[in-house]
Every structure is written in C-alpha cells, then in structure tokens.
Amino acid sequence: MGDTILEMKSITKEFPGVKALDNVNLVVERGEIHALIGENGAGKSTLMNVLSGTYPAGSYSGEIYYNGDLCQFKTLKDSEEKGIVIIHQELALIPLLTIGENMFLGNEKKNKFGAIDWDMTYNAAETHMKQVGLNESAQTLIKDIGTGKQQLVEIAKAFSKNVKLLILDEPTSSLNDEDAKMLLDLLIEFKKNGLTSIIITHKLNEIIYCADKATIIRDGSTIETLVKGVDEFSEDRIIKGMVGRPMDDRYPTREHNVRKEIGLEVKNWTVHHPLYHEKIVDNNISFKVHKGEVVGFSGLQGAGRTELAMSIFGKSYGTNISGELYLDGKQVDLKNAEQAIRHGLAYVTEDRKVNGLILGESIRFNTTLARLDKVCSKGIIDTTSEKKVAEDMTEAMGTKTPSIDQKVGNLSGGNQQKALLGKWMFAEPDVLILDEPTRGIDVGAKYDIYCLINRMVEEGKSVIMISSEMPELIGMCDRIYVMNEGVLRGELDAREATQEKIMGYIISADK
C-alpha cells in the first residue's frame, strides 16, 4: 500500500442545468506524477478547482482527505497554506511587473516597518528561480520573457509557497516541443525530491513520458486509473478509456480531390513588425492553395506563421506590408478584416478566448458576429433569424450545450472551438485559415474538427492549417510548407512527409 497524500471521495458538483462531477473518486500517492485525463467538459478542471478551494467547501458534496486529514477549503489561500498549489492554463502573471514582484504578489516580503523589502524579495525570488532552472534576473519584466519561461515563473512561485502537491492544468498547451520536454523533465526531477504532481493534459505522449498513473474521467464520472508497469499504458488504451471505444484512426479518411483552380495565392509577401518597423517578420514569401486542398504550415514557435496569416487577413498584423494577394485568380488589396471577410476569407485565431470569442456573451451572439449584415434588416438585428442561424450552426458543428443562450465562457475548450468555427462557417468563406485549430482540446473533439475540415475541402473550399503538431499536419494535409525565422524553407507533399524531413528543413535553416 502506498503513502497516500490525497484522496477525494464521491465528489459531486453541479452548476445550473449541468452536473459537472458525479461521484468522482481520486487517489494520489506521495511523490508520484498523476495524470488526470478526459475529453473537454469531462470535469477535470472542475475537480481541481474543488480541490484548490476555487469552488469552496459547501458548493459541492463529497470529502477531501489531504495527508489523512479531512479538509474543507473555503478559499485558494486555505489550500495553499497546506502546500497545494494550482497553476491554471491561463497564467496568472502581470506583464508589466517583474518576476520578483509577480512571485510575491499578495504575499509581499516586508521589513519590520511594514514596507516591502525589495532586497529580500528579489533574493528570495532568485533562490526559487534556481530551483526551476530559470536563469534570468528577478527584476526582468514578465513581458520580456517567453511563454516557456513564464511557465517556470509560475512553478517558482509555487515553490515560494512551500508547495507539496503541484497541480498543472494544460502546462504545455502554449509551448513548443523543446520547452514542453524541458518542463516535463523538470517535473520528473522534482519527483525525485519528493514533490507530488497532478498534470492535466490532452497531449497523450506527455502522459506516457512522465506520468506514473493516469485517472480517466468521462462525462463527470471516474472511469478507471491506469498504473504504469501494471496496466497497458499506451495512447490507444488511454483513448479507449476517454471516449469509451477504440479509435482506430486519429485522422478521418478523405478523398484527396485537389482541383486545378487556385483559391488563394500569395506572391513575394513581406511583413514588418508593427512596433519595430525596421524588423522583417515575414520575408518574401510565396505560396498557393488550390480549391479542395488542405495546406499545412509547420515551424517552431516564432517562425512567423501566425503573423503571415494575420497579415493576409486584411492586414490585421504588421506594417509596410508588400507583395501580391490573389483570391480565385483575381488580385485584391484587403485593407482590413471586414474587406477580407467580404472577399470570402476567414481567419480562425489560435487564441479563441482573447481574439476569437466574446466569452461573456452567448453562443447566439457570437455566431453571427463576423457577418451581422446577414441577420439584419435596415440595420436592426432580426432576433428570429439570429436564433435560427445559431441553432443550425450549433447542430452542424456538434457543439454540446444546454442552449444557444449559454455563455461561451461556460463551454469546455473543445465546444468553444466548435462555436468559433461555427461563427466563421456562417460567414461562408471560400478560404479558411486555421491557426492551431486543435490546441488544448481532447482527442474526440479533435476528430470532430478534422471531419469539419474534410467537409469543407470536399465542398471545394481552400484550407490553410497552421499547427505545431507535426503528426496532425501529416495526417490532415495535402501539402506542407515549412517556415523558420520568417522565411519559407521548404515544401513537402504530405504523403511523403515525415517529422524528420520537416525538422530537417528547420535545422538546415539554422546552420
């Protein structure tokens, strides 16, 4: 019998009209890395919010035992005082404050006069930064370090709170492969020193790599716990537990009927940075996408893929943009996003929560935003038409929701992504640019989105797919362009493409 640090018994949590958790049980042993997995909306984050006190005792039923003691956390501070620290997917850092200021925000280091002792603050910050291998000055502003280092700041912040049980919710969703592996290796190193971790992630390869156990939650209920070295601990076995059936093919089959006609063509496209005008972000790029074709863009973080996509979409990014843009064989000059939409171009942003959706508004409100003119009469929104459109798109996208009046912010990540796609499908684009369309969503929701992409190209539309997941590009695309440092480095037929070939283009560009 192991040394149990945490036991959650019969946890049930309800929201209006939804039972998010139904009699969930979780047992975590001291010093292990325990993965919590399931489809979007399964209840993983809700369970961790119950544990951390974000959802206070009294708002749920069931019992939480930590180090053998029955605990009833009323606030986040209550759980942190016991050594339980949660790091959410959206990092809670203030960009214009320093690393040290962020680390002790709300828990300031003070001298005997009650004033902040900055020497003590920065010395303590750098001590904890060394624990996580972050080689920066504690006086560096958060905005001046990358996402990977910001994630390390959050972990260092947890160490400043004397963490014993670390909870990480999708810690690698915004990291490139190299930074993600460094973070997982760090967790493994922490485990050797006795730290217990719970990790929520949709990246099944990460679970296989670092976790000792994996508890699967489906539809708000505990399904099973798999133990490495005892049970089959493979991606296929985990998927079967998550979706309730084997998934023989991660990528739906499609007839590759690429047409001769070109839907989008870009020639000699150059984009300068919006603030530092002398800096070239994308340099002399030319490519084309045929009708009925999915074209992928691969590259490391900072390669310039998102900037390229946004600049094409009505010059939504950059300055001093030059080059030629052709839609359906005709040269166009799209000065803003509205003109891009009118010309049949759509851009699904990589950040659905900030730039894609208005989280405080309903599905109905969000669905028609890109083309309000289609549900308006004499400048006034026809609510009957708006409702019908939202219902049709919600059904077409397979969005799981109690009603179209549900706030988008209350949906799971996968259903938010479907709502975002529904918004752009209503705009009826001929060319759809998808920027990290499956980031942070589960394998089942990914499959649904892949089916939507296939449906679009079968209708003769052109799709650009930007993704940091090379297997996804190889599995879904007809051709793949490889970018590095704002330059197009190579082009591959997806049937001949491998991860090694893609990385070969990137590495050769770095020499």
Side-chain angles (χ1 to χ4, degrees):
M1 188 78 179
D3 180 10
T4 301
I5 187 172
L6 172 71
E7 186 171 7
M8 302 181 77
K9 291 184 175 181
S10 305
I11 303 297
T12 298
K13 171 68 178 173
E14 296 188 34
F15 297 102
V18 180
K19 183 177 277 191
L21 299 173
D22 187 7
N23 203 37
V24 171
N25 297 292
L26 176 67
V27 177
V28 178
E29 304 298 330
R30 193 180 313 277
E32 73 179 8
I33 299 175
H34 197 115
L36 191 61
I37 51 183
E39 295 189 86
N40 288 103
K44 310 178 297 295
S45 295
T46 302
L47 184 66
M48 292 300 95
N49 283 331
V50 164
L51 171 59
S52 65
T54 303
Y55 297 140
S59 68
Y60 60 88
S61 62
E63 298 174 335
I64 298 173
Y65 291 90
Y66 180 68
N67 284 326
D69 298 328
L70 178 63
C71 296
Q72 294 186 318
F73 301 128
K74 297 285 188 183
T75 65
L76 201 60
K77 196 169 184 65
D78 290 345
S79 62
E80 287 181 348
E81 287 175 353
K82 293 280 189 178
I84 301 172
V85 180
I86 183 168
I87 300 175
H88 294 282
Q89 185 175 353
E90 287 79 28
L91 302 181
L93 299 171
I94 299 174
L96 294 177
L97 294 184
T98 65
I99 294 173
E101 287 170 323
N102 270 278
M103 200 173 295
F104 293 101
L105 191 62
N107 186 30
E108 287 78 8
K109 297 282 186 183
K110 298 179 180 179
N111 59 27
K112 61 182 179 181
F113 304 108
I116 295 175
D117 187 323
W118 291 110
D119 287 339
M120 191 188 305
T121 296
Y122 288 121
N123 287 336
E126 290 186 355
T127 297
H128 296 303
M129 288 161 65
K130 286 178 184 175
Q131 287 180 276
V132 302
L134 180 56
N135 299 314
E136 293 282 345
S137 165
Q139 298 187 46
T140 302
L141 297 179
I142 290 294
K143 73 177 183 64
D144 294 331
I145 60 175
T147 308
K149 290 183 177 181
Q150 288 181 23
Q151 190 70 258
L152 294 180
V153 171
E154 283 281 24
I155 298 174
K157 188 176 175 182
F159 276 103
S160 76
K161 298 173 182 176
N162 197 26
V163 62
K164 298 291 187 295
L165 173 59
L166 180 64
I167 305 164
L168 301 112
D169 193 348
E170 296 289 353
T172 64
S173 63
S174 298
L175 304 184
N176 60 37
D177 291 343
E178 185 180 354
D179 285 343
K181 185 178 183 301
M182 286 176 60
L183 180 60
L184 298 177
D185 286 338
L186 202 57
L187 289 184
I188 294 169
E189 194 62 35
F190 293 156
K191 183 180 78 168
K192 294 176 184 176
N193 296 322
L195 181 69
T196 308
S197 300
I198 297 175
I199 180 171
I200 298 173
T201 178
H202 291 304
K203 297 181 180 179
L204 303 186
N205 61 312
E206 295 181 353
I207 295 167
I208 306 302
Y209 181 72
C210 75
D212 301 295
K213 295 178 186 173
T215 294
I216 299 171
I217 297 179
R218 189 195 318 146
D219 297 328
S221 299
T222 310
I223 300 301
E224 59 187 341
T225 296
L226 302 176
V227 181
K228 185 178 282 184
V230 176
D231 302 302
E232 181 187 346
F233 211 78
S234 66
E235 292 190 24
D236 288 341
R237 178 64 184 84
I238 292 170
I239 289 170
K240 182 179 178 182
M242 287 172 61
V243 302
R245 66 187 190 282
M247 189 170 281
D248 299 324
D249 195 344
R250 304 269 186 95
Y251 306 101
T253 57
R254 167 171 61 90
E255 293 291 331
H256 293 261
N257 296 321
V258 178
R259 302 183 186 182
K260 291 182 180 180
E261 302 94 337
I262 296 173
L264 170 73
E265 186 169 10
V266 173
K267 294 182 179 179
N268 307 317
W269 197 259
T270 297
V271 181
H272 292 250
H273 194 280
L275 296 179
Y276 308 106
H277 297 172
E278 71 284 356
K279 181 180 178 181
I280 296 176
V281 179
D282 292 302
N283 192 7
N284 198 35
I285 290 176
S286 298
F287 69 93
K288 59 187 174 183
V289 188
H290 292 262
K291 293 183 179 182
E293 184 179 35
V294 181
V295 168
F297 275 79
S298 183
L300 301 179
Q301 196 168 22
R305 297 168 301 163
T306 292
E307 293 80 359
L308 174 64
M310 290 180 67
S311 66
I312 292 169
F313 185 64
K315 300 179 180 176
S316 300
Y317 174 91
T319 55
N320 301 328
I321 297 171
S322 61
E324 299 173 4
L325 178 65
Y326 296 84
L327 289 171
D328 209 8
K330 298 176 183 177
Q331 187 172 356
V332 293
D333 181 17
L334 308 177
K335 293 182 170 60
N336 52 50
E338 183 181 2
Q339 287 186 8
I341 293 167
R342 298 282 183 181
H343 280 80
L345 193 59
Y347 170 63
V348 179
T349 173
E350 65 178 332
D351 193 340
R352 58 181 174 262
K353 293 188 175 183
V354 175
N355 298 320
L357 298 163
I358 301 177
L359 300 183
E361 295 290 350
S362 66
I363 295 173
R364 179 170 71 172
F365 180 93
N366 276 276
T367 299
T368 57
L369 271 181
R371 287 298 303 270
L372 275 174
D373 58 297
K374 292 175 67 176
V375 291
C376 283
S377 176
K378 297 179 181 179
I380 298 172
I381 294 174
D382 181 343
T383 54
T384 302
S385 176
E386 181 188 45
K387 181 179 178 182
K388 177 71 166 58
V389 164
E391 287 174 343
D392 289 347
M393 294 312 304
T394 298
E395 182 179 354
M397 296 298 112
T399 310
K400 293 179 182 177
T401 176
S403 81
I404 58 169
D405 293 314
Q406 175 75 275
K407 287 184 178 180
V408 170
N410 292 337
L411 300 176
S412 67
N415 285 309
Q416 285 181 4
Q417 192 70 4
K418 290 178 184 179
L420 178 59
L421 282 168
K423 163 186 165 182
W424 286 110
M425 291 304 96
F426 173 61
E428 297 183 311
D430 297 312
V431 179
L432 180 65
I433 304 171
L434 300 167
D435 196 349
E436 301 287 359
T438 64
R439 173 176 286 171
I441 62 175
D442 63 77
V443 66
K446 283 183 179 182
Y447 192 88
D448 291 342
I449 288 171
Y450 298 150
C451 289
L452 292 170
I453 293 169
N454 283 354
R455 196 167 74 201
M456 285 197 67
V457 292
E458 283 166 3
E459 293 171 358
K461 299 182 185 299
S462 306
V463 174
I464 293 173
M465 188 177 190
I466 299 169
S467 176
S468 297
E469 297 187 28
M470 294 183 205
E472 180 173 72
L473 292 176
I474 295 168
M476 285 299 299
C477 297
D478 298 288
R479 287 184 298 120
I480 300 170
Y481 288 104
V482 183
M483 286 186 67
N484 191 42
E485 296 182 342
V487 176
L488 216 53
R489 302 294 182 179
E491 177 187 349
L492 291 163
D493 186 300
R495 287 169 293 188
E496 301 171 356
T498 63
Q499 295 188 55
E500 290 77 15
K501 286 182 180 179
I502 292 171
M503 284 305 300
Y505 278 117
I506 295 170
I507 292 168
S508 64
D510 287 334
K511 290 180 180 178

